[in-house]
Amino acid sequence: GGHGAAAVEAPATESFVAEGRTGPMFDTYLLLANPNPAPTTVTLRYLRPTGPVITEEITLAPQSRKTRYLDEFPGLEDTDVSASITATLPIVVERAMYWPGNFHQWEEAHASAGVTSTGTLWGLAEGEHGGGRAFETYILVANPSDADASVKLTLLRAAGLPPLVLTKTVPRNSRLTVSSWEFPLASGEKFGALVESTNEVPIVVERSLYWNGGGVPWGGGSNETGIKLR
């Protein structure tokens, strides 16, 4: 298994990662690169579905890279997790996930670069549910704000079918996972999505997609960040 992620246009002092899962199925890594000729202090805030924010502060040496293996971090051993990252100098952030199990069992992976700003309306073009390869799509929503976000998810369907709408609350400083199984989709349907914070609390959105590949459950997978529309 392998993955690829697009390079970022420029380093930033603020980055956000909506996707992340630790535990027996997934290994999740945050990858931090400091291209500057001086050290930078990085503050990482880990957002979970419930519970307080977990925070750590690290120093990145000049022109160096550091890896954070989240499965080993106290409080993150088996959970969905998003991250809000700030740095005193501009850095580059990516997140990579591998599965299933530990290093010797990995069969697949996906990765994405961190996004550098929050927004109140995000678009996703790819999504699929069911079918011969048992596709499962997950929309990941991170709310790094100090206020609850009221979120409306609208699935844009093929073949002229009407959109499907689901509303959720994403509590302050938390992460929400929404599965395609929560919508009344027919097996094999393909869709895009709009994710809107209707009360204007800024959020971050990603999409992960898994399917049975090579005769292995979840033998295939991909991830992409949402496109910020507002």
Side-chain angles (χ1 to χ4, degrees):
H3 60 69
V8 299
E9 294 182 359
T13 57
E14 193 170 46
S15 296
F16 303 91
V17 169
E19 171 65 305
R21 184 69 172 93
T22 62
M25 179 67 173
F26 289 98
D27 286 334
T28 296
Y29 297 84
L30 279 183
L31 318 166
L32 312 169
N34 176 17
N36 302 287
T40 182
T41 300
V42 182
T43 301
L44 302 106
R45 300 173 66 246
Y46 300 117
L47 316 177
R48 299 173 292 172
T50 59
V53 174
I54 296 176
T55 302
E56 69 166 329
E57 187 174 283
I58 62 174
T59 298
L60 287 182
Q63 297 182 327
S64 73
R65 136 85 181 267
K66 186 164 283 191
T67 301
R68 309 306 288 163
Y69 176 39
L70 300 192
D71 294 59
E72 290 184 340
F73 197 86
L76 302 179
E77 297 91 346
D78 188 1
T79 184
D80 295 341
V81 58
S82 300
S84 172
I85 302 108
T86 56
T88 54
L89 293 174
I91 63 172
V92 178
V93 175
E94 293 185 26
R95 181 225 58 258
M97 292 171 61
Y98 303 84
W99 70 92
N102 61 33
F103 174 81
H104 301 287
Q105 300 169 298
W106 291 346
E107 294 178 343
E108 182 60 307
H110 59 55
S112 286
V115 300
T116 56
S117 63
T118 56
T120 57
L121 179 63
W122 296 80
L124 298 162
E126 170 74 345
E128 191 164 351
H129 177 78
R133 293 193 177 183
F135 284 90
E136 297 182 46
T137 299
Y138 295 85
I139 297 174
L140 307 319
V141 185
N143 176 10
S145 307
D146 289 328
D148 296 353
S150 299
V151 174
K152 180 173 74 172
L153 301 101
T154 304
L155 296 195
L156 311 176
R157 305 161 77 189
L161 294 171
L164 296 173
V165 177
L166 185 66
T167 58
K168 295 278 189 176
T169 297
V170 188
R172 66 194 68 186
N173 293 305
S174 76
R175 142 78 182 269
L176 174 72
T177 301
V178 180
S179 167
S180 58
W181 288 99
E182 298 183 48
F183 295 87
L185 292 162
S187 181
E189 275 205 58
K190 300 178 180 180
F191 57 88
L194 295 174
V195 183
E196 180 181 13
S197 175
T198 57
N199 63 341
E200 300 297 313
V201 172
I203 57 175
V204 178
V205 175
E206 295 187 36
R207 182 269 309 139
S208 289
L209 178 63
Y210 305 95
W211 60 93
N212 298 344
V216 178
W218 281 25
S222 70
N223 170 269
E224 186 56 88
T225 56
I227 301 298
K228 190 172 80 167
L229 303 177
R230 184 175 68 229

